């Protein structure tokens, strides 16, 4: 539908910008292909175990740095002990172009150097509770790319995981950037709209989300 009814970019909160339909179909296909490779090896995509028991309903694989609740390491000690795949230069470029598209700020875009991405796969039942991205030591923006099924994305506030929040729809190809005063907003995915994705992306079902971040870590921090 987004091709027929263009949705303009919108500032949801200061520093939190939604750019609908930012990725072309070809870019989405390329990302799906890359993510499919990373989902298999060197560290398989899995449902992350939570420290108090239980597992996340979302399936995750990381590149650059491995995230597990609530820290980053180079190796996936809670999965198979392997070092995660490197963060590719083309993804750094994509992150910079994303920051430029959201903020229209050449300097901010040029400085942006993401070194990790969490790649999340949502089946029709998966959800992601309200949380802050706060395990990074740097305050650079988070760049989020969505492919496949649409979802409700809940954009909260920085003080509490409850109201006030704004629910928006993230569709395939959408970009969402949160930085500046919105860098530490609570956010989550209460609902995926099963069957709304276009299989032409290469993803026959479900939702893929890629969040790029700057960890602020160096290898001496491991
Ligand atoms: C996340 O908060 O890590 C993922 C957000 C999303 O799936 O849109
Ligand atoms: Mn998050």
């Amino acid at each position: 539908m987004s091709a027929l009814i263009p949705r303009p970019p919108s500032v949801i909160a200061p520093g939190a910008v939604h750019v609908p339909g930012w990725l072309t179909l070809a870019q989405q296909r390329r990302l799906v292909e890359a993510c499919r490779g990373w989902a298999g090896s060197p560290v398989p995509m899995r449902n992350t175990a939570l420290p108090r028991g239980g597992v996340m309903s979302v399936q995750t694989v990381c590149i650059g740095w491995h995230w597990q609740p609530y820290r980053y390491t180079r190796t996936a000690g809670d999965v198979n002990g392997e070092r995660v795949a490197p963060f590719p230069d083309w993804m750094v470029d994509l992150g910079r172009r994303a920051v430029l598209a959201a903020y229209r700020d050449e300097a901010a875009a040029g400085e942006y150097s993401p070194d990790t991405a969490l790649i999340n796969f949502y089946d029709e039942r998966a959800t992601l509770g309200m949380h802050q991205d706060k395990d990074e030591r740097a305050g650079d923006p988070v760049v989020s790319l969505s492919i496949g099924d649409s979802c409700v994305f809940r954009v909260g506030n920085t003080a509490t995981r409850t109201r006030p929040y704004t629910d928006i729809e993230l569709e395939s190809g959408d970009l969402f950037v949160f930085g500046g005063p919105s860098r530490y907003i609570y956010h989550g995915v209460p609902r995926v709209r099963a069957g709304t994705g276009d299989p032409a992306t290469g993803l026959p079902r479900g939702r893929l989300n890629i969040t790029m971040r700057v960890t602020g870590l160096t290898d001496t921090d491991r």
Side-chain angles (χ1 to χ4, degrees):
M1 279 314 267
S2 52
L4 299 177
I5 308 167
R7 293 164 300 147
S10 51
V11 179
I12 308 299
V17 184
H18 178 204
V19 187
W22 185 66
L23 292 167
T24 65
L25 186 59
Q27 286 174 310
Q28 293 179 64
R29 292 177 73 97
R30 181 180 178 188
L31 284 165
V32 168
E33 204 174 310
C35 291
R36 191 163 277 130
W38 290 320
S41 72
V43 178
M45 181 173 253
R46 72 356 175 170
N47 297 91
T48 305
L50 294 167
R52 291 186 187 174
V55 289
M56 293 174 69
S57 57
V58 169
Q59 296 174 58
T60 307
V61 67
C62 308
I63 57 171
W65 290 85
H66 175 76
W67 179 83
Q68 71 181 91
Y70 295 96
R71 65 201 168 96
Y72 287 99
T73 47
R74 284 295 193 193
T75 52
D78 61 333
V79 189
N80 65 355
E82 294 293 325
R83 188 181 171 105
V84 295
F87 193 92
D89 289 344
W90 62 262
M91 197 93 133
V92 177
D93 290 343
L94 189 62
R96 288 185 179 153
R97 281 186 272 121
V99 168
L100 185 61
Y103 294 155
R104 299 272 149 213
D105 180 336
E106 299 268 0
E111 283 164 14
Y112 190 60
S113 293
D115 61 346
T116 190
L118 272 64
I119 297 156
N120 285 332
F121 178 76
Y122 297 72
D123 66 19
E124 63 277 9
R125 287 184 308 276
T127 58
L128 186 65
M130 292 295 274
H131 66 279
Q132 292 169 300
D133 291 356
K134 61 177 183 187
D135 297 324
E136 301 77 24
R137 287 196 199 157
D140 301 69
V142 175
V143 164
S144 156
L145 300 170
S146 295
I147 302 173
D149 285 346
S150 303
C151 76
V152 176
F153 184 65
R154 185 157 289 172
V155 184
N157 59 84
T158 55
T160 147
R161 52 169 40 85
T162 58
R163 291 176 192 276
Y165 53 69
T166 305
D167 283 350
I168 65 168
E169 295 282 322
L170 289 183
E171 296 184 7
S172 199
D174 285 9
L175 164 67
F176 191 87
V177 179
F178 52 104
S182 287
R183 174 61 179 79
Y184 297 104
I185 49 164
Y186 281 90
H187 58 279
V189 178
R191 183 163 175 208
V192 170
R193 303 202 188 278
T196 52
D198 178 356
T201 58
L203 195 66
R205 50 176 275 278
R207 170 175 186 260
L208 195 61
N209 176 264
I210 301 163
T211 47
M212 300 184 213
R213 301 118 187 260
V214 178
T215 62
L217 298 169
T218 65
D219 280 310
T220 54
D221 295 314
R222 285 176 305 152

